[in-house]
mmCIF file of all heavy atoms in Angstrom:
data_model
loop_
_atom_site.group_PDB
_atom_site.id
_atom_site.type_symbol
_atom_site.label_atom_id
_atom_site.label_comp_id
_atom_site.label_asym_id
_atom_site.label_seq_id
_atom_site.Cartn_x
_atom_site.Cartn_y
_atom_site.Cartn_z
ATOM 1 N N ASP Y 1185 -2.640 3.411 -16.405
ATOM 2 C CA ASP Y 1185 -3.296 4.637 -15.924
ATOM 3 C C ASP Y 1185 -4.558 4.367 -15.110
ATOM 4 O O ASP Y 1185 -5.229 5.310 -14.688
ATOM 5 C CB ASP Y 1185 -3.637 5.539 -17.110
ATOM 6 C CG ASP Y 1185 -2.392 6.012 -17.826
ATOM 7 O OD1 ASP Y 1185 -1.363 6.191 -17.151
ATOM 8 O OD2 ASP Y 1185 -2.447 6.183 -19.058
ATOM 9 N N ASP Y 1186 -4.876 3.106 -14.868
ATOM 10 C CA ASP Y 1186 -6.091 2.744 -14.133
ATOM 11 C C ASP Y 1186 -5.907 3.064 -12.646
ATOM 12 O O ASP Y 1186 -4.952 2.590 -12.019
ATOM 13 C CB ASP Y 1186 -6.374 1.250 -14.308
ATOM 14 C CG ASP Y 1186 -7.718 0.821 -13.761
ATOM 15 O OD1 ASP Y 1186 -8.274 1.527 -12.896
ATOM 16 O OD2 ASP Y 1186 -8.208 -0.231 -14.180
ATOM 17 N N PRO Y 1187 -6.802 3.856 -12.046
ATOM 18 C CA PRO Y 1187 -6.651 4.186 -10.630
ATOM 19 C C PRO Y 1187 -6.783 2.976 -9.695
ATOM 20 O O PRO Y 1187 -6.381 3.049 -8.538
ATOM 21 C CB PRO Y 1187 -7.756 5.216 -10.368
ATOM 22 C CG PRO Y 1187 -8.716 5.073 -11.480
ATOM 23 C CD PRO Y 1187 -7.952 4.531 -12.650
ATOM 24 N N GLN Y 1188 -7.299 1.862 -10.198
ATOM 25 C CA GLN Y 1188 -7.379 0.657 -9.374
ATOM 26 C C GLN Y 1188 -5.997 0.232 -8.900
ATOM 27 O O GLN Y 1188 -5.840 -0.347 -7.840
ATOM 28 C CB GLN Y 1188 -8.047 -0.489 -10.153
ATOM 29 C CG GLN Y 1188 -8.122 -1.798 -9.376
ATOM 30 C CD GLN Y 1188 -8.924 -1.678 -8.087
ATOM 31 O OE1 GLN Y 1188 -10.025 -1.148 -8.096
ATOM 32 N NE2 GLN Y 1188 -8.387 -2.178 -6.988
ATOM 33 N N ARG Y 1189 -4.981 0.572 -9.668
ATOM 34 C CA ARG Y 1189 -3.604 0.251 -9.296
ATOM 35 C C ARG Y 1189 -3.273 0.838 -7.930
ATOM 36 O O ARG Y 1189 -2.595 0.238 -7.116
ATOM 37 C CB ARG Y 1189 -2.667 0.812 -10.376
ATOM 38 C CG ARG Y 1189 -1.207 0.554 -10.144
ATOM 39 C CD ARG Y 1189 -0.527 1.820 -9.631
ATOM 40 N NE ARG Y 1189 0.895 1.653 -9.574
ATOM 41 C CZ ARG Y 1189 1.551 1.188 -8.508
ATOM 42 N NH1 ARG Y 1189 0.927 0.845 -7.443
ATOM 43 N NH2 ARG Y 1189 2.858 1.084 -8.507
ATOM 44 N N TRP Y 1190 -3.779 2.043 -7.661
ATOM 45 C CA TRP Y 1190 -3.510 2.701 -6.382
ATOM 46 C C TRP Y 1190 -4.336 2.079 -5.265
ATOM 47 O O TRP Y 1190 -3.892 2.028 -4.117
ATOM 48 C CB TRP Y 1190 -3.711 4.204 -6.520
ATOM 49 C CG TRP Y 1190 -2.835 4.708 -7.624
ATOM 50 C CD1 TRP Y 1190 -3.235 5.153 -8.859
ATOM 51 C CD2 TRP Y 1190 -1.411 4.718 -7.642
ATOM 52 N NE1 TRP Y 1190 -2.130 5.451 -9.625
ATOM 53 C CE2 TRP Y 1190 -1.000 5.201 -8.903
ATOM 54 C CE3 TRP Y 1190 -0.422 4.383 -6.708
ATOM 55 C CZ2 TRP Y 1190 0.337 5.353 -9.256
ATOM 56 C CZ3 TRP Y 1190 0.911 4.536 -7.059
ATOM 57 C CH2 TRP Y 1190 1.271 5.019 -8.319
ATOM 58 N N GLY Y 1191 -5.516 1.574 -5.608
ATOM 59 C CA GLY Y 1191 -6.286 0.814 -4.628
ATOM 60 C C GLY Y 1191 -5.568 -0.473 -4.264
ATOM 61 O O GLY Y 1191 -5.525 -0.869 -3.097
ATOM 62 N N ASP Y 1192 -4.970 -1.117 -5.272
ATOM 63 C CA ASP Y 1192 -4.189 -2.332 -5.017
ATOM 64 C C ASP Y 1192 -2.969 -2.019 -4.157
ATOM 65 O O ASP Y 1192 -2.607 -2.793 -3.272
ATOM 66 C CB ASP Y 1192 -3.751 -2.977 -6.334
ATOM 67 C CG ASP Y 1192 -4.922 -3.502 -7.145
ATOM 68 O OD1 ASP Y 1192 -5.961 -3.863 -6.555
ATOM 69 O OD2 ASP Y 1192 -4.800 -3.557 -8.387
ATOM 70 N N GLN Y 1193 -2.349 -0.862 -4.401
ATOM 71 C CA GLN Y 1193 -1.193 -0.480 -3.591
ATOM 72 C C GLN Y 1193 -1.622 -0.221 -2.146
ATOM 73 O O GLN Y 1193 -0.906 -0.579 -1.212
ATOM 74 C CB GLN Y 1193 -0.505 0.756 -4.181
ATOM 75 C CG GLN Y 1193 0.759 1.123 -3.420
ATOM 76 C CD GLN Y 1193 1.653 2.050 -4.201
ATOM 77 O OE1 GLN Y 1193 1.937 1.804 -5.368
ATOM 78 N NE2 GLN Y 1193 2.089 3.125 -3.572
ATOM 79 N N SER Y 1194 -2.791 0.363 -1.960
ATOM 80 C CA SER Y 1194 -3.319 0.561 -0.613
ATOM 81 C C SER Y 1194 -3.560 -0.789 0.064
ATOM 82 O O SER Y 1194 -3.274 -0.962 1.253
ATOM 83 C CB SER Y 1194 -4.618 1.371 -0.676
ATOM 84 O OG SER Y 1194 -5.237 1.446 0.585
ATOM 85 N N ASN Y 1195 -4.062 -1.749 -0.697
ATOM 86 C CA ASN Y 1195 -4.270 -3.098 -0.150
ATOM 87 C C ASN Y 1195 -2.939 -3.745 0.229
ATOM 88 O O ASN Y 1195 -2.839 -4.418 1.260
ATOM 89 C CB ASN Y 1195 -5.016 -3.976 -1.151
ATOM 90 C CG ASN Y 1195 -6.452 -3.560 -1.324
ATOM 91 O OD1 ASN Y 1195 -7.035 -2.903 -0.462
ATOM 92 N ND2 ASN Y 1195 -7.044 -3.930 -2.443
ATOM 93 N N LEU Y 1196 -1.917 -3.539 -0.594
ATOM 94 C CA LEU Y 1196 -0.589 -4.049 -0.272
ATOM 95 C C LEU Y 1196 -0.097 -3.431 1.039
ATOM 96 O O LEU Y 1196 0.441 -4.128 1.906
ATOM 97 C CB LEU Y 1196 0.397 -3.748 -1.406
ATOM 98 C CG LEU Y 1196 1.860 -4.074 -1.136
ATOM 99 C CD1 LEU Y 1196 2.054 -5.561 -0.830
ATOM 100 C CD2 LEU Y 1196 2.725 -3.643 -2.321
ATOM 101 N N ALA Y 1197 -0.294 -2.133 1.187
ATOM 102 C CA ALA Y 1197 0.113 -1.472 2.429
ATOM 103 C C ALA Y 1197 -0.626 -2.058 3.627
ATOM 104 O O ALA Y 1197 -0.034 -2.253 4.697
ATOM 105 C CB ALA Y 1197 -0.148 0.030 2.321
ATOM 106 N N ASP Y 1198 -1.901 -2.377 3.455
ATOM 107 C CA ASP Y 1198 -2.656 -2.981 4.552
ATOM 108 C C ASP Y 1198 -2.067 -4.337 4.929
ATOM 109 O O ASP Y 1198 -1.968 -4.668 6.119
ATOM 110 C CB ASP Y 1198 -4.131 -3.136 4.168
ATOM 111 C CG ASP Y 1198 -4.960 -3.658 5.318
ATOM 112 O OD1 ASP Y 1198 -4.922 -3.058 6.415
ATOM 113 O OD2 ASP Y 1198 -5.643 -4.690 5.130
ATOM 114 N N ILE Y 1199 -1.664 -5.105 3.950
ATOM 115 C CA ILE Y 1199 -1.023 -6.400 4.218
ATOM 116 C C ILE Y 1199 0.270 -6.187 5.005
ATOM 117 O O ILE Y 1199 0.543 -6.916 5.958
ATOM 118 C CB ILE Y 1199 -0.765 -7.161 2.897
ATOM 119 C CG1 ILE Y 1199 -2.102 -7.587 2.270
ATOM 120 C CG2 ILE Y 1199 0.145 -8.366 3.118
ATOM 121 C CD1 ILE Y 1199 -1.995 -8.051 0.829
ATOM 122 N N LEU Y 1200 1.029 -5.178 4.631
ATOM 123 C CA LEU Y 1200 2.263 -4.871 5.354
ATOM 124 C C LEU Y 1200 1.963 -4.462 6.796
ATOM 125 O O LEU Y 1200 2.666 -4.867 7.727
ATOM 126 C CB LEU Y 1200 3.054 -3.782 4.633
ATOM 127 C CG LEU Y 1200 3.565 -4.140 3.234
ATOM 128 C CD1 LEU Y 1200 4.222 -2.929 2.586
ATOM 129 C CD2 LEU Y 1200 4.512 -5.318 3.274
ATOM 130 N N ILE Y 1201 0.919 -3.674 6.981
ATOM 131 C CA ILE Y 1201 0.511 -3.270 8.330
ATOM 132 C C ILE Y 1201 0.153 -4.501 9.155
ATOM 133 O O ILE Y 1201 0.547 -4.615 10.318
ATOM 134 C CB ILE Y 1201 -0.667 -2.273 8.270
ATOM 135 C CG1 ILE Y 1201 -0.198 -0.936 7.684
ATOM 136 C CG2 ILE Y 1201 -1.290 -2.076 9.657
ATOM 137 C CD1 ILE Y 1201 -1.330 0.005 7.303
ATOM 138 N N GLN Y 1202 -0.569 -5.429 8.549
ATOM 139 C CA GLN Y 1202 -0.956 -6.653 9.251
ATOM 140 C C GLN Y 1202 0.263 -7.475 9.660
ATOM 141 O O GLN Y 1202 0.213 -8.224 10.624
ATOM 142 C CB GLN Y 1202 -1.898 -7.506 8.389
ATOM 143 C CG GLN Y 1202 -3.214 -6.844 8.057
ATOM 144 C CD GLN Y 1202 -3.985 -6.412 9.283
ATOM 145 O OE1 GLN Y 1202 -4.059 -7.123 10.277
ATOM 146 N NE2 GLN Y 1202 -4.549 -5.212 9.228
ATOM 147 N N GLN Y 1203 1.362 -7.313 8.932
ATOM 148 C CA GLN Y 1203 2.608 -8.017 9.241
ATOM 149 C C GLN Y 1203 3.477 -7.222 10.222
ATOM 150 O O GLN Y 1203 4.586 -7.640 10.527
ATOM 151 C CB GLN Y 1203 3.412 -8.270 7.956
ATOM 152 C CG GLN Y 1203 2.756 -9.231 7.004
ATOM 153 C CD GLN Y 1203 3.532 -9.349 5.702
ATOM 154 O OE1 GLN Y 1203 3.964 -8.357 5.122
ATOM 155 N NE2 GLN Y 1203 3.711 -10.568 5.246
ATOM 156 N N GLY Y 1204 2.995 -6.081 10.685
ATOM 157 C CA GLY Y 1204 3.770 -5.256 11.592
ATOM 158 C C GLY Y 1204 4.812 -4.403 10.904
ATOM 159 O O GLY Y 1204 5.752 -3.930 11.529
ATOM 160 N N ARG Y 1205 4.658 -4.188 9.610
ATOM 161 C CA ARG Y 1205 5.637 -3.435 8.814
ATOM 162 C C ARG Y 1205 5.073 -2.062 8.436
ATOM 163 O O ARG Y 1205 5.020 -1.676 7.285
ATOM 164 C CB ARG Y 1205 6.013 -4.260 7.589
ATOM 165 C CG ARG Y 1205 6.705 -5.557 7.984
ATOM 166 C CD ARG Y 1205 6.779 -6.576 6.868
ATOM 167 N NE ARG Y 1205 7.390 -6.066 5.658
ATOM 168 C CZ ARG Y 1205 7.288 -6.675 4.482
ATOM 169 N NH1 ARG Y 1205 6.619 -7.813 4.365
ATOM 170 N NH2 ARG Y 1205 7.873 -6.165 3.415
ATOM 171 N N LYS Y 1206 4.658 -1.324 9.452
ATOM 172 C CA LYS Y 1206 4.037 -0.014 9.236
ATOM 173 C C LYS Y 1206 4.953 0.950 8.490
ATOM 174 O O LYS Y 1206 4.492 1.704 7.631
ATOM 175 C CB LYS Y 1206 3.612 0.600 10.569
ATOM 176 C CG LYS Y 1206 2.471 -0.123 11.242
ATOM 177 C CD LYS Y 1206 2.118 0.560 12.553
ATOM 178 C CE LYS Y 1206 0.943 -0.108 13.218
ATOM 179 N NZ LYS Y 1206 0.552 0.597 14.467
ATOM 180 N N ALA Y 1207 6.220 0.943 8.826
ATOM 181 C CA ALA Y 1207 7.161 1.871 8.177
ATOM 182 C C ALA Y 1207 7.221 1.633 6.667
ATOM 183 O O ALA Y 1207 7.402 2.583 5.896
ATOM 184 C CB ALA Y 1207 8.553 1.743 8.792
ATOM 185 N N ASN Y 1208 7.070 0.387 6.243
ATOM 186 C CA ASN Y 1208 7.069 0.081 4.808
ATOM 187 C C ASN Y 1208 5.749 0.488 4.152
ATOM 188 O O ASN Y 1208 5.710 0.770 2.952
ATOM 189 C CB ASN Y 1208 7.304 -1.405 4.576
ATOM 190 C CG ASN Y 1208 8.644 -1.871 5.084
ATOM 191 O OD1 ASN Y 1208 8.712 -2.455 6.163
ATOM 192 N ND2 ASN Y 1208 9.701 -1.613 4.352
ATOM 193 N N ALA Y 1209 4.681 0.488 4.927
ATOM 194 C CA ALA Y 1209 3.357 0.794 4.394
ATOM 195 C C ALA Y 1209 3.147 2.286 4.173
ATOM 196 O O ALA Y 1209 2.458 2.690 3.229
ATOM 197 C CB ALA Y 1209 2.276 0.254 5.339
ATOM 198 N N ILE Y 1210 3.732 3.112 5.021
ATOM 199 C CA ILE Y 1210 3.469 4.556 4.973
ATOM 200 C C ILE Y 1210 3.787 5.177 3.613
ATOM 201 O O ILE Y 1210 2.921 5.856 3.040
ATOM 202 C CB ILE Y 1210 4.195 5.277 6.131
ATOM 203 C CG1 ILE Y 1210 3.527 4.893 7.458
ATOM 204 C CG2 ILE Y 1210 4.197 6.791 5.933
ATOM 205 C CD1 ILE Y 1210 4.272 5.349 8.699
ATOM 206 N N PRO Y 1211 4.971 4.976 3.022
ATOM 207 C CA PRO Y 1211 5.216 5.614 1.717
ATOM 208 C C PRO Y 1211 4.297 5.075 0.610
ATOM 209 O O PRO Y 1211 3.917 5.831 -0.296
ATOM 210 C CB PRO Y 1211 6.686 5.317 1.419
ATOM 211 C CG PRO Y 1211 7.116 4.282 2.388
ATOM 212 C CD PRO Y 1211 6.156 4.302 3.530
ATOM 213 N N LEU Y 1212 3.933 3.814 0.686
ATOM 214 C CA LEU Y 1212 3.007 3.261 -0.314
ATOM 215 C C LEU Y 1212 1.648 3.946 -0.213
ATOM 216 O O LEU Y 1212 1.024 4.274 -1.225
ATOM 217 C CB LEU Y 1212 2.840 1.750 -0.111
ATOM 218 C CG LEU Y 1212 4.068 0.885 -0.355
ATOM 219 C CD1 LEU Y 1212 3.762 -0.570 -0.025
ATOM 220 C CD2 LEU Y 1212 4.547 1.022 -1.786
ATOM 221 N N LEU Y 1213 1.188 4.163 1.015
ATOM 222 C CA LEU Y 1213 -0.107 4.818 1.221
ATOM 223 C C LEU Y 1213 -0.059 6.284 0.824
ATOM 224 O O LEU Y 1213 -1.000 6.790 0.194
ATOM 225 C CB LEU Y 1213 -0.552 4.660 2.676
ATOM 226 C CG LEU Y 1213 -0.985 3.249 3.046
ATOM 227 C CD1 LEU Y 1213 -1.043 3.077 4.552
ATOM 228 C CD2 LEU Y 1213 -2.319 2.916 2.398
ATOM 229 N N GLU Y 1214 1.010 6.966 1.161
ATOM 230 C CA GLU Y 1214 1.128 8.378 0.782
ATOM 231 C C GLU Y 1214 1.094 8.536 -0.739
ATOM 232 O O GLU Y 1214 0.432 9.438 -1.263
ATOM 233 C CB GLU Y 1214 2.401 8.982 1.374
ATOM 234 C CG GLU Y 1214 2.320 9.133 2.884
ATOM 235 C CD GLU Y 1214 3.609 9.567 3.549
ATOM 236 O OE1 GLU Y 1214 4.698 9.374 2.957
ATOM 237 O OE2 GLU Y 1214 3.527 10.086 4.669
ATOM 238 N N GLU Y 1215 1.792 7.649 -1.439
ATOM 239 C CA GLU Y 1215 1.788 7.696 -2.911
ATOM 240 C C GLU Y 1215 0.403 7.363 -3.458
ATOM 241 O O GLU Y 1215 -0.093 8.044 -4.368
ATOM 242 C CB GLU Y 1215 2.829 6.728 -3.462
ATOM 243 C CG GLU Y 1215 2.910 6.748 -4.972
ATOM 244 C CD GLU Y 1215 3.913 5.759 -5.532
ATOM 245 O OE1 GLU Y 1215 4.155 4.699 -4.908
ATOM 246 O OE2 GLU Y 1215 4.443 6.044 -6.625
#
């Protein structure tokens, strides 16, 4: 239940963006 989990998911999405995988990042960021 720690909200840091969602911060980590946002960081994962940023890594995906850096790899050119924006489409994979969008649902992670929305969630």
Side-chain angles (χ1 to χ4, degrees):
D1185 296 328
D1186 189 338
Q1188 178 60 48
R1189 180 257 188 270
W1190 304 109
D1192 294 332
Q1193 184 163 311
S1194 173
N1195 290 338
L1196 173 60
D1198 184 54
I1199 292 166
L1200 296 175
I1201 291 167
Q1202 297 304 318
Q1203 293 175 315
R1205 296 165 55 196
K1206 292 180 178 183
N1208 298 101
I1210 291 171
L1212 294 176
L1213 288 164
E1214 290 173 338
E1215 182 182 30

